[in-house]
């Protein structure tokens, strides 16, 4: 009798746990759905509005009633794309180096230091990077390459630094267990850990490599502060690495701080939607490429 | 006494493939091997037997210095190999006969207790170590892969599936693939840690036949749990007990499983005293 009660009590607490889980799923999914709905709903009027000056045009000039955000979209893709290439490559190399001490289980002081630094880097607010770059990177670029220094290049360089720890940590989480699984048998054949990583682990980890790239790109495109501080914010198509660009995120920050309501404000919802679309598309395309290769 | 032993040994250099002197291995101050001195004679298969946890794997791994890959390991004593390619000072590995770690491990092939295939294709399992450790040119790779697979009698089964992931092979096939991978590197010696532990009776017999054939070409040291198997294969046996060498049996022919069982259970046996 007593047993039966305790079993029932246990199952009741099990039910409560399950209800909690369901509730959190519903909350999270509901929140997401609401967010999407809101963005789409607010962006909808911009779709309907036709004729010149809508968000899908190439000129942003609120004074003349032109609210085209396509240049900003190109800016976002350009800045994010240019950032993710060096960020990802450096991340892969750094991760390989971190995972390949000459003696297993005993990473030297340098590796410990660098691994710690990477972890600290994730906690640095982007405004700090931006601040440092405004005083160091931009003037150097101006000196060496001319121009104002506040450019596509400057923003991309700093963004690649920003996404580096993300890339490294994602890769490490994916590659380390795989390397551990085959390190002993590989080492017994006379290969070292770097060779194992390069020839056996990386080729078998395409999904991890792609996720790192996708996440890195997502972070780069989604970041607001660095492009805002470094990219020059000219709402035009970039024609060289040194020309100023404005990203969608920076654009949203600039416009929200200046206006409340009105057509310019409305176009921001479209900008938000575009951001979502860019990230979604890139993620799909990269994954699709990976699946096919 | 000790001095006499050494001169005797030097005279009979080629009689032994492996000489361990006072070998002690500990992990984080927990002694696993204690003062093991063992001479393994050349020719045939040498089998290590002993209860689980008696340090057989650890002994085997001190021959290719794999213990060092595990953190907290301390090794004392000395290990020396007399391979066809010449004398090799394995541990401490500082003398004129020492070889670089990677080369030592390539020349002393090892197969693990559980099959450890790489998560890549069957072909690359063999070709990658070949090209990385031996710098084998690309044009020769296919032939060498085929040779190795033929040697372990796996070629017929996988010839048309070389591009399949090796993880999809059966357990016995995986173990033979591991053997092929080690053999492809043209080792001077083979270390086998219970190579048939994860196999059914038939595939185990299959691998045993392979090993007997191989032992004519190169020295083989293996660990075995099966007493019957040990007796079938061994031309030399070493019995381990709690990290110590309990006895050596230099001529196990004619021994019965029962004898071996009693030996493992701790009974004294006159035949154990021979080789030392
Ligand atoms: N990396 C390690 N760290 C700590 N202890 C270890 C380590 N490797 C082995 N040992 C210990 O050393 C002892 C001997 O291990 P070993 O693997 O050599 O035994 P074995 O004779 O091969 O046993 P089995 O027949 O079960 O494979 C065991 O008590 C084990 O717990
Ligand atoms: Mg073992």
């Amino acid at each position: 009798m007593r047993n039966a009660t305790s079993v029932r009590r246990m199952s009741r607490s099990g039910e409560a746990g399950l209800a909690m889980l369901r509730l959190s799923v519903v909350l999270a999914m509901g929140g997401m759905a609401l967010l999407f709905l809101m963005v789409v709903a607010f962006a909808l009027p911009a779709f309907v509005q036709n004729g010149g000056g809508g968000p899908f045009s190439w000129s942003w000039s609120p004074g003349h009633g032109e609210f085209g955000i396509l240049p900003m979209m190109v800016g976002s893709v350009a800045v994010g794309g240019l950032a993710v290439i060096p960020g990802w490559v450096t991340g892969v190399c750094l991760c390989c180096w971190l995972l390949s001490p000459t003696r297993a289980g005993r990473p030297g002081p340098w590796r410990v230091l660098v691994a710690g630094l990477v972890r600290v880097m994730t906690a640095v607010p982007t405004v700090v990077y931006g601040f440092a770059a405004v005083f160091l990177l931009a003037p150097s670029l101006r000196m060496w390459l001319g121009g104002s220094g506040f450019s596509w290049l400057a923003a991309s360089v700093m963004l690649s630094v920003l996404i580096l720890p993300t890339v490294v940590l994602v890769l490490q989480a994916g590659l380390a267990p795989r390397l551990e699984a085959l390190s002993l048998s590989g080492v017994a054949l006379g290969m070292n850990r770097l060779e194992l990583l390069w020839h056996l682990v990386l080729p078998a980890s395409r999904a991890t490599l792609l996720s790192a790239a996708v996440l890195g790109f997502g972070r780069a495109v989604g970041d607001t502060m660095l492009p805002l501080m470094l990219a020059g914010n000219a709402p035009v198509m970039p024609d060289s690495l040194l020309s100023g660009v404005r990203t969608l995120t920076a654009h949203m920050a600039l416009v929200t701080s200046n206006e409340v309501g009105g057509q310019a404000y409305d176009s921001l919802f479209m900008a938000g939607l575009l951001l979502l679309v860019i990230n979604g598309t890139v993620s799909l395309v990269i994954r699709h490429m990976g699946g096919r290769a | 006494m000790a001095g006499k032993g050494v001169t005797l040994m030097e005279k009979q250099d080629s009689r032994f493939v492996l000489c361990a002197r006072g070998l002690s291995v500990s992990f984080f101050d927990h002694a696993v091997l204690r003062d093991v001195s063992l001479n393994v004679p050349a020719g045939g298969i040498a089998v290590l037997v002993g209860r689980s946890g008696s340090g057989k794997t650890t002994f085997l791994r001190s021959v290719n210095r794999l213990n060092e890959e595990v953190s907290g390991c301390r090794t004392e004593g000395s290990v020396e190999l007399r391979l066809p390619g010449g004398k090799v000072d394995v541990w401490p590995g500082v003398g004129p006969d020492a070889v670089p770690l990677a080369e030592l491990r390539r020349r002393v092939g090892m197969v693990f207790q559980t099959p450890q295939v790489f998560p890549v294709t069957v072909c690359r399992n063999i070709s990658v170590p070949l090209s990385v450790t031996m710098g084998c040119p690309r044009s020769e790779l296919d032939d060498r892969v085929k040779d190795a697979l033929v040697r372990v009698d796996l070629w017929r089964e996988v010839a048309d599936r070389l591009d399949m992931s090796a993880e999809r092979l059966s357990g016995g096939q995986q173990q033979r693939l591991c053997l092929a991978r080690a053999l492809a590197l043209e080792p001077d010696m083979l270390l086998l840690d219970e190579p048939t532990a994860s196999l059914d009776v038939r595939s185990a017999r299959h691998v045993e036949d392979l090993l007997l054939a191989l032992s004519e070409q190169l020295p083989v040291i293996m660990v075995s749990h099966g007493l019957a198997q040990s007796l079938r294969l061994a031309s030399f046996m070493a019995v381990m007990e709690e990290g110590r060498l309990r006895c050596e049996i230099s001529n196990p022919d004619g021994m019965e499983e029962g004898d071996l069982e009693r030996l493992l259970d701790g009974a004294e046996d006159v035949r154990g005293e021979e080789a030392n």
Side-chain angles (χ1 to χ4, degrees), chain B residues 141-201:
Chain B
L141 281 179
D142 286 345
D143 290 338
R144 297 247 201 153
V145 169
K146 183 179 171 187
D147 283 349
L149 289 172
V150 169
R151 268 178 101 180
V152 299
D153 213 0
L154 190 60
W155 176 252
R156 274 181 305 119
E157 289 153 71
V158 300
D160 52 347
R161 293 186 294 171
L162 289 179
D163 290 328
M164 189 185 78
S165 167
E167 285 172 318
R168 304 228 297 265
L169 293 175
S170 79
Q173 290 171 331
Q174 289 191 13
Q175 195 62 301
R176 276 180 285 154
L177 180 62
C178 292
L179 190 56
R181 191 171 63 190
L183 286 175
L185 301 181
E186 295 167 10
D188 293 334
M189 179 182 209
L190 267 186
L191 305 174
L192 307 166
D193 194 352
E194 295 182 46
T196 59
S198 54
L199 307 188
D200 69 86
V201 182

Side-chain angles (χ1 to χ4, degrees), chain A residues 14-90:
Chain A
E15 269 163 30
L18 207 61
M20 282 282 286
L21 292 185
R22 288 207 182 110
L23 185 68
S24 59
V25 170
V26 167
L27 276 180
M29 290 301 109
M32 283 290 289
L34 261 178
L35 192 80
F36 274 101
L37 263 179
M38 201 190 77
V39 170
V40 172
F42 279 102
L44 217 53
F47 273 114
V48 182
Q49 165 198 17
N50 41 20
F56 290 108
S57 62
W58 292 98
S59 168
W60 174 265
S61 173
H64 300 97
E66 294 175 327
F67 302 98
I69 56 171
L70 289 182
M72 283 61 123
M73 189 180 102
V74 173
S76 269
V77 175
V79 168
L82 188 66
V84 82
I85 295 166
W88 184 80
V89 172
T90 324

Side-chain angles (χ1 to χ4, degrees), chain A:
Chain A
M1 193 60 206
R2 192 176 294 158
N3 267 350
T5 340
S6 74
V7 165
R8 203 172 308 140
R9 197 177 300 141
M10 248 176 58
S11 79
R12 200 174 298 146
S13 77
E15 269 163 30
L18 207 61
M20 282 282 286
L21 292 185
R22 288 207 182 110
L23 185 68
S24 59
V25 170
V26 167
L27 276 180
M29 290 301 109
M32 283 290 289
L34 261 178
L35 192 80
F36 274 101
L37 263 179
M38 201 190 77
V39 170
V40 172
F42 279 102
L44 217 53
F47 273 114
V48 182
Q49 165 198 17
N50 41 20
F56 290 108
S57 62
W58 292 98
S59 168
W60 174 265
S61 173
H64 300 97
E66 294 175 327
F67 302 98
I69 56 171
L70 289 182
M72 283 61 123
M73 189 180 102
V74 173
S76 269
V77 175
V79 168
L82 188 66
V84 82
I85 295 166
W88 184 80
V89 172
T90 324
V92 172
C93 295
L94 194 57
C95 177
C96 285
W97 181 75
L98 283 174
L99 288 177
S100 64
T102 41
R103 294 239 162 137
R106 271 161 282 182
W110 285 113
R111 285 192 172 78
V112 172
L113 187 74
V114 171
L117 234 109
V118 167
R119 222 156 290 138
V120 169
M121 271 173 81
T122 56
V124 176
T126 60
V127 66
V128 175
Y129 287 125
F131 202 65
V134 164
F135 287 98
L136 293 171
L137 182 66
S140 319
L141 284 179
R142 190 168 10 187
M143 217 165 66
W144 295 329
L145 302 173
S148 70
F150 293 93
S151 56
W152 179 9
L153 184 63
S156 286
V157 167
M158 282 325 282
L159 280 174
S160 68
V161 174
L162 176 78
I163 66 174
L164 187 65
T166 313
V167 172
V168 171
L169 290 178
V170 169
L171 285 175
Q172 234 179 353
L175 301 185
R178 247 169 260 172
L179 178 64
E180 284 320 311
L182 53 76
S183 74
L184 209 57
S185 51
V187 165
L189 290 166
M191 297 170 76
N192 61 37
R193 287 163 65 91
L194 192 60
E195 290 164 342
L196 288 173
L197 260 174
W198 193 251
H199 294 282
L200 295 169
V201 176
L202 287 185
S205 309
R206 205 187 295 118
T208 306
L209 290 171
L210 292 176
S211 311
V214 169
L215 278 172
F217 182 82
R219 258 212 98 182
V221 166
D223 188 69
T224 310
M225 199 47 101
L226 285 177
L228 188 65
M229 291 173 85
L230 295 170
N233 294 319
V236 290
M237 292 275 289
D239 50 14
S240 84
L241 282 180
L242 296 178
S243 62
V245 290
R246 187 187 285 193
T247 64
L248 286 171
T249 47
H251 178 69
M252 289 169 86
L254 285 170
V255 176
T256 20
S257 57
N258 291 333
E259 332 233 345
V260 181
Q263 244 186 321
Y265 201 74
D266 286 344
S267 77
L268 292 187
F269 291 102
M270 187 53 76
L273 191 64
L274 275 180
L275 266 178
L276 278 176
V277 170
I278 291 175
N279 267 338
T281 318
V282 166
S283 166
L284 278 180
V285 166
I286 292 189
R287 277 177 210 285
H288 185 67
M289 264 168 27
R292 249 192 343 198

